[in-house]
Amino acid sequence: MDETGFTEWAVAAQRPLLRAAVLLTGDIHAAEDLVQEAMVKVAMRWSRLAEGSPTAYARTIMLRDYISGWRKHRRHAETDVLVPAPADTPDWDAAALVQQALARLTPKQRAVVVLRHLDDLSVREVAAVLRIGVGTVKSQNAAALERLREGAPELRDLIGRLS
Amino acid sequence: MTSFEDPSQLHVLLTWATADVDSPDLPARALEVARRRRQARRRALLTGGAVGSAAALIIVAWLGLNLSSQDHSQIATPSTANTSSTPAASHPPYKVNRFGLTVGPVLISTPPSEWPDLRAIRFHGRRGYLRVRTSRAAALGGSTPEQAVAHMRSMCRQGLLDDQGRIWAKVYKADGKTVLGKMLAGRTSARC
């Protein structure tokens, strides 16, 4: 295995993957677990993935692990609710607000929001990653935005502060 | 205007909320775990799948060893932890938590003398820890029939073996002393 090539890719991909994972799980430790497992699987197949798109592969693994992990632990879901944001986040309260807003979404809605609005994937690409229909992506996305709009009006203030 | 009429606003918000998220040692950890898994696969092929033996299964269940997709979860440790120096070839770097206990995965390729003090697990949606050496000693019992019987009785007294042959393991907080509860660790033909 070309460990140098893998390391170069992993160093570059680590932050984008970790950002998505933190938004999905709301927990930095769980996020690290998700990303690490995805990277391990990429490393195991590096000779085949190096010429392709390892980041897309890692993202797919991560999202599927997240959804299946949630299904496995859904009976404890009420104790999983998010977050502390990382302690060194500059504006902890505001970051926590975002996490709490995302916590109002179902795991699949959260996955759609992260893929569509953080990773900027197209509806088709999101559908492929999550193995759901294009129509489902659209409806989940619309429902998620509606829920954020209705249930997390505080985000509007945050956007105002950022823009 | 409502918050998300312009999707780019949400992108900005999500990006900003995770601006400081970083874990620079993730690539090295992932590489190390991948190496271990490859070694374990090679070893399993060479030894004809010794892991399949009943004794190994009990120990694996007891320790919560998991060679499938879950063993990565044991690497993540509290952000306050420091990295300890470890032998390069036998296991990924262990973390030392604020109570001075090493926390990390228990790989089948790591000799018992190098196992960490604690292994992190998910327990009722929270993080809990198994005391690795205590669990191993409990799983192994004794080397003679008398010791094994005494060991079984001791486990019954502690509530770690029940009348249905279920083996229970205590789950601790990060201090390795405060008991959070018990988790089902395996089954045996022995009964209390």
Side-chain angles (χ1 to χ4, degrees):
Chain A
M1 176 189 158
D2 170 20
E3 293 192 354
T4 311
F6 169 80
T7 303
E8 279 173 11
W9 165 79
V11 166
Q14 173 261 123
R15 283 197 73 198
L17 292 173
L18 196 59
R19 283 178 149 186
V22 164
L23 292 174
L24 288 171
T25 62
D27 179 319
I28 186 67
H29 303 304
E32 286 187 356
D33 289 352
L34 267 184
V35 175
Q36 181 175 299
E37 179 60 15
M39 285 186 166
V40 168
K41 286 176 178 165
V42 169
M44 304 285 279
R45 295 163 185 78
W46 183 250
S47 54
R48 273 173 285 162
L49 291 171
E51 301 301 317
S53 179
T55 305
Y57 181 83
R59 189 194 291 123
T60 302
I61 294 286
M62 203 174 82
L63 266 291
R64 289 180 186 170
D65 281 356
Y66 161 69
I67 298 278
S68 63
W70 174 81
R71 283 189 185 128
K72 215 179 286 178
H73 297 106
R74 72 166 76 191
R75 67 199 170 96
H76 301 308
E78 66 277 10
T79 60
D80 287 341
V81 170
L82 308 180
V83 115
D88 53 356
T89 299
D91 190 343
W92 189 92
D93 287 342
L97 265 185
V98 174
Q99 295 283 17
Q100 284 162 8
L102 290 175
R104 295 188 175 97
L105 307 180
T106 66
K108 198 161 267 181
Q109 285 174 346
R110 219 176 299 154
V112 169
V113 164
V114 168
L115 289 173
R116 279 288 283 143
H117 301 287
L118 178 72
D119 291 342
D120 277 336
L121 298 192
S122 70
V123 171
R124 255 176 219 291
E125 288 167 328
V126 175
V129 169
L130 297 177
R131 288 191 283 205
I132 56 178
V134 167
T136 309
V137 173
K138 289 179 181 172
S139 62
Q140 293 275 340
N141 187 52
L145 296 190
E146 182 63 27
R147 198 179 278 196
L148 289 177
R149 201 176 286 137
E150 299 287 322
E154 63 275 15
L155 290 186
R156 199 176 307 161
D157 301 332
L158 273 182
I159 285 176
R161 282 165 53 188
L162 288 171
S163 52
Chain B
M1 185 168 114
T2 53
S3 305
F4 310 118
E5 283 171 6
D6 177 3
S8 66
Q9 290 180 328
L10 191 51
H11 174 81
V12 170
L13 189 64
L14 296 179
T15 306
W16 169 82
T18 53
D20 275 12
V21 168
D22 196 11
S23 184
D25 58 337
L26 258 179
R29 278 157 45 191
L31 197 54
E32 188 61 35
V33 173
R35 278 193 205 121
R36 299 285 154 219
R37 283 194 196 167
R38 264 193 233 106
Q39 284 173 6
R41 278 186 191 175
R42 269 188 229 122
R43 198 167 291 123
L45 284 173
L46 290 173
T47 57
V51 180
S53 72
L57 276 180
I58 289 174
I59 294 171
V60 165
W62 184 261
L63 294 176
L65 286 176
N66 186 346
L67 299 179
S68 68
S69 61
Q70 295 303 309
D71 63 353
H72 66 286
S73 68
Q74 310 321 321
I75 307 285
T77 50
S79 56
T80 53
N82 302 310
T83 304
S84 67
S85 61
T86 51
S90 60
H91 56 77
Y94 295 145
K95 305 283 180 151
V96 179
N97 70 15
R98 63 184 187 279
F99 299 99
L101 301 171
T102 52
V103 183
V106 184
L107 304 180
I108 206 91
S109 54
T110 306
S113 59
E114 294 176 19
W115 283 354
D117 298 315
L118 302 177
R119 176 186 187 276
I121 58 159
R122 191 179 183 84
F123 184 66
H124 293 301
R126 298 170 56 196
R127 186 159 285 249
Y129 298 87
L130 294 176
R131 283 166 51 169
V132 175
R133 290 189 185 84
T134 308
S135 302
R136 176 175 180 263
L140 293 180
S143 53
T144 66
E146 292 77 19
Q147 285 175 348
V149 169
H151 171 69
M152 196 185 86
R153 286 185 180 144
S154 162
M155 286 184 68
C156 291
R157 276 197 302 275
Q158 295 176 64
L160 300 179
L161 177 64
D162 65 20
D163 56 3
Q164 297 173 48
R166 291 179 300 192
I167 301 171
W168 298 89
K170 287 181 184 172
V171 181
Y172 298 86
K173 284 187 177 177
D175 61 5
K177 292 177 183 168
T178 312
V179 178
L180 289 173
K182 288 190 290 187
M183 61 171 276
L184 185 62
R187 290 180 185 276
T188 174
S189 56
R191 300 281 187 275
C192 284

